[in-house]
């Protein structure tokens, strides 16, 4: 079994929406062979809670407007550390970068085929690492330099 055309349409729209809101490390997996409850997972992350919320809102709005899809379940709103949007055909996980590293969902699904995503979404790969490195350099400059 493979992800349906509808699932792929939802995944691509959600991935593009996440990329448009500057999500980090957007990736999607076809989980249809191992899970009967959904076809695909989309993972995305952001370095702060506000951006997590912004990405989630953009995905919801885009999927509703362009594809008439509304999530049947939305979890994790209050803290905006890990928000899950369940569209039945797909499940979207938008995580704070720290949660993404800690829970490492990619490890769970690494045996599942990775889905092809729009170029903008693919360009987000490695952004979390870049962001972390940049923050470390800024912190070192701020705290390490004699005045």
């Amino acid at each position: 079994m493979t992800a349906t055309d509808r699932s792929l349409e939802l995944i691509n729209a959600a991935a593009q929406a996440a990329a448009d809101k500057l999500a980090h490390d957007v990736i999607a997996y076809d989980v249809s062979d191992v899970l009967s409850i959904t076809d695909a997972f989309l993972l995305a992350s952001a370095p702060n809670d506000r951006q997590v919320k912004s990405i989630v809102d953009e995905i919801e709005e885009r999927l509703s407007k362009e594809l008439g899809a509304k999530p049947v379940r939305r979890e994790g709103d209050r803290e905006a550390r890990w928000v899950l949007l369940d569209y039945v055909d797909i499940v979207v996980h938008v995580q704070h970068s720290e949660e993404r590293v800690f829970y490492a969902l990619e490890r769970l699904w690494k045996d599942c085929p990775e889905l092809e995503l729009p170029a903008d979404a693919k360009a987000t790969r490695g952004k979390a690492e870049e962001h972390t490195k940049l923050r470390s350099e800024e912190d070192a400059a701020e705290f390490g330099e004699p005045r």
Side-chain angles (χ1 to χ4, degrees), residues 4 10 16 22 41-42 54 64 77 80 100 127 137 143-144:
T4 64
L10 291 166
Q16 185 63 53
L22 308 178
F41 277 166
L42 180 76
S54 175
S64 175
D77 275 341
R100 178 100 179 245
K127 291 292 185 199
E137 290 169 2
F143 298 113

Side-chain angles (χ1 to χ4, degrees), residues 80-99:
R81 302 286 296 178
W82 181 349
V83 179
L84 179 147
L85 298 172
D86 183 350
Y87 286 90
V88 181
D89 294 323
I90 70 166
V91 175
V92 177
H93 298 268
V94 183
Q95 297 175 297
H96 188 288
S97 299
E98 291 169 4
E99 266 67 8

Side-chain angles (χ1 to χ4, degrees), residues 13-41:
Q16 185 63 53
D20 289 350
K21 285 295 178 178
L22 308 178
H24 293 170
D25 301 317
V26 178
I27 191 165
Y29 294 101
D30 181 339
V31 296
S32 60
D33 282 343
V34 292
L35 291 176
S36 58
I37 55 170
T38 192
D39 283 347
F41 277 166

Side-chain angles (χ1 to χ4, degrees), residues 54-146:
S54 175
I55 293 164
V56 168
D57 290 347
E58 183 67 19
I59 290 170
E60 272 196 292
E61 188 175 320
R62 185 92 46 102
L63 267 55
S64 175
K65 227 188 266 183
E66 293 178 7
L67 303 172
K70 293 197 184 316
V72 295
R73 197 171 88 223
R74 179 177 173 153
E75 294 181 9
D77 275 341
R78 276 191 306 279
E79 299 82 31
R81 302 286 296 178
W82 181 349
V83 179
L84 179 147
L85 298 172
D86 183 350
Y87 286 90
V88 181
D89 294 323
I90 70 166
V91 175
V92 177
H93 298 268
V94 183
Q95 297 175 297
H96 188 288
S97 299
E98 291 169 4
E99 266 67 8
R100 178 100 179 245
V101 170
F102 183 80
Y103 289 101
L105 295 179
E106 286 92 336
R107 276 200 325 251
L108 291 173
W109 308 111
K110 70 178 184 298
D111 295 335
C112 296
E114 196 177 312
L115 293 170
E116 189 65 28
L117 294 176
D120 290 346
K122 281 202 264 187
T124 67
R125 301 286 168 81
K127 291 292 185 199
E129 198 175 318
E130 283 175 33
H131 180 80
T132 302
K133 187 176 177 218
L134 186 62
R135 288 293 305 261
S136 297
E137 290 169 2
E138 287 170 355
D139 290 348
E142 184 177 332
F143 298 113
E145 303 210 346

